[in-house]
Amino acid sequence: MDEEFWHRKWRSDEIGFHQGETNALLLRHFSALGLAPGARVFVPLCGKSRDVHWLLGQGYAVVGAELSRLAVEQLFAELGLDPEVTDQGPLERFEAGRLTVFVGDFLDLDRETLGEVAGVYDRAALVALPEPMRGRYAAHLAAVTRHAPQLLITFEYDPSLAIGPPFSVTEHEVRRHYGAAYHVACAEMHEMKGGLKGGHPAREAAYLLTPR
């Protein structure tokens, strides 16, 4: 899966992965990270997620990373924000108010460019990547965020269905990628009402990752 795959999805408006409402697991479990009011939260591969709206509404500062410039333009437009756009090395930086989003390859984002973050919310990043890419992604995320605590949301389903993305990521895999650096706790796992992508049986899980 290459960058053009995602650019094509956004250009053709094939964004079934985009949720029109705030994720219920975010609502139920984000407070468990124990972040201070106004804390800076990182949302990797944020798209134009409604979850960003909610985080801003709770008073957090949000910094995102996203491959698609179109998605980021739509995010700011839907929030009614007119961003200042500047070059940041190989990335573009969109910024307005308490929202900053870096556009480009997430692996080009370094910790100095990102700056300090108090927590991470990953709903659509790890599960968007095929298995060979997930270990590199997880290691880079931990490094650039200085092992900030995370709320991670994943899906589990029969991988033989080959319906990803989003891909099936088991608890075993979560622990394999993150267990050396974080304490991993499954906060909730439930069957998805209506299934995934045409009704395929699937479970959605929320994990709390706290640095060791």
Side-chain angles (χ1 to χ4, degrees), residues 4-211:
E4 181 55 29
F5 172 89
W6 293 108
H7 288 307
R8 186 171 64 251
K9 288 287 188 182
W10 282 100
R11 285 196 304 266
S12 60
D13 200 32
E14 296 176 20
I15 53 173
F17 49 84
H18 173 69
Q19 290 187 339
E21 298 179 353
T22 304
N23 184 276
L25 294 177
L26 169 65
L27 298 177
R28 288 198 287 271
H29 299 292
F30 192 75
S31 62
L33 294 183
L35 305 187
R40 197 164 185 252
V41 178
F42 182 47
V43 184
L45 280 62
C46 61
K48 61 172 185 176
S49 173
R50 296 293 302 180
D51 298 342
V52 171
H53 297 232
W54 183 85
L55 289 166
L56 291 169
Q58 299 302 301
Y60 297 109
V62 177
V63 56
E66 170 56 42
L67 179 65
S68 170
R69 195 179 200 273
L70 177 59
V72 176
E73 290 171 345
Q74 292 179 8
L75 173 63
F76 279 85
E78 291 175 7
L79 284 162
L81 297 174
D82 183 19
E84 178 183 1
V85 182
T86 56
D87 290 330
Q88 192 93 45
L91 306 171
E92 282 188 296
R93 179 188 184 111
F94 282 60
E95 188 165 21
R98 288 179 289 109
L99 177 62
T100 302
V101 181
F102 295 99
V103 179
D105 186 340
F106 169 68
L107 295 176
D108 287 333
L109 179 64
D110 58 40
R111 64 165 59 187
E112 290 75 22
T113 300
L114 175 61
E116 295 282 350
V117 296
V120 177
Y121 172 58
D122 179 348
R123 182 192 72 81
L126 183 69
V127 296
L129 302 173
E131 194 279 333
M133 297 178 64
R134 293 198 284 262
R136 185 182 179 195
Y137 160 82
H140 187 67
L141 179 60
V144 298
T145 63
R146 300 170 172 85
H147 298 88
Q150 295 188 39
L151 174 61
L152 168 66
I153 296 177
T154 66
F155 301 100
E156 289 190 24
Y157 58 83
D158 180 354
S160 70
L161 296 173
I163 60 174
F167 294 100
S168 177
V169 178
T170 65
E171 180 171 350
H172 174 77
E173 183 176 352
V174 171
R175 293 184 181 279
R176 175 160 54 86
H177 291 316
Y178 294 103
Y182 298 88
H183 298 285
V184 178
C186 183
E188 181 179 343
M189 184 178 293
H190 63 255
E191 296 291 331
M192 295 183 66
K193 185 178 180 180
L196 188 67
K197 285 195 171 185
H200 297 291
R203 295 187 294 177
E204 189 177 27
Y207 296 94
L208 296 169
L209 311 181
T210 54

